[in-house]
Amino acid sequence: MSTQAASPSVNAAASGTFLLGGDLPVNRLGYGAMQITGPGIWGPPANRDEALAVLRRAVDLGVNFIDTADSYGPEVSEDLIAEALYPYPDGLVIATKGGLTRQGPGQWTAVGRAEYLRQQVEMSLRRLRIERIDLYQLHRIDPKVPVEESIGELRALQQEGKIRHIGVSEVSVAELRQTRSLAEIVSVQNRYNLADRAAEDVLVYAEREGIGFIPWFPIATGELARPGGVLDEASKRHGSSPSQLALAWLLRRSPVMLPIPGTSSVAHLEENVDAAGVTLTDAEYEDLVKVAG
C-alpha cells in the first residue's frame, strides 16, 4: 500500500463502526482536533487556512467523529470546527471536553467545580453553534472536588438536554466504576498506543462493558519507529508507514477502540485515514504485541 498517495482511495468507514452510547454510529477512525492550535496547544494555528482545510478534508474522507476540548487553544479548536464545518453534515458527532484550565502554553490545571463545568458547557454550545453536545467528557477528575459534584453537574446538564452522552478522561478502572455509579458513562479517553499500554486494564474493562475507548496520543510510537527499529522494519515489509501500522494495530486490538489521530497537515491526515484500509496478519499483529510489550 502506498503511503504517498495525494488522494487516498480509503474512506474512514473502512475502519468499521461503533455505536457510541447505543445510538450514535461513528466510524472508528476519528480525528482529534488538538493540533490545529498553536505551540503548546496555545493560541491560533500557524496556518489557519490549513487547519480549516484539515477539518473539511477529514469529513470528506468519511471521518464522522471529531474530538476536541474547550482547553485546546483555549477555545481555538472549537471555534475552528464551527468555522470549517457549520452547518454540520448529518451524522457528524462532535465530542468535546471540559475540566482543564489553561495558564499558558503546555500548562493544564484541573477544575471540576459544578459552576465551572456548567459555564464551560454553555460556552462550548455557543462556540460550536449547537443546542446539544453529542458527547461531553470530563477532561480530568479534579482532586480538590468530589467526583460526585462534577459528574452530578454533567448529569444535570444531560437531563436539561444540553448533553446527549457523558464520557470521562484519564481514569483508573476504580474511578471509571465510580463515575458509572453516578451517571451513564459511554466513553473513556486514556493515553494508549502501541508503545504505551499502561491503560490496558481500563481498555479490558471498557471492552467488557461496551464502553467506547478513545486512545489519545494513538501514534506515539517512540523508539519503535526509529530508523531500523521494529516498527520501521515492519512498515517496510508491509508497505505502510509506521503510523499507519500503529493505527491498524489499535483498530485490530479491540472493537471498542476509537483512535483519534490528530494533525495540522492535510497530507498527514490523508496518510492517517489510509490506515483504515491496512490489514495486519495474525503474525504481524502478534509480533508487534511482543516487541512493544
Side-chain angles (χ1 to χ4, degrees), residues 276-288:
V278 174
T279 301
L280 298 176
T281 66
D282 292 344
E284 287 172 329
Y285 175 81
E286 293 300 334
D287 283 346
L288 290 174

Side-chain angles (χ1 to χ4, degrees), residues 66-90:
I66 295 177
D67 178 83
T68 185
D70 61 37
S71 56
Y72 296 166
E75 304 179 6
V76 172
S77 179
E78 289 183 332
D79 284 337
L80 288 170
I81 288 169
E83 181 178 346
L85 301 175
Y86 185 85
Y88 302 114
D90 291 342

Side-chain angles (χ1 to χ4, degrees), residues 1-3 233-241 244-245 278 284:
M1 175 181 194
S2 171
T3 63
E233 292 300 317
S235 71
K236 291 175 182 175
R237 291 194 303 271
H238 198 278
S240 302
S241 71
Q244 287 174 332
L245 282 191
V278 174
E284 287 172 329

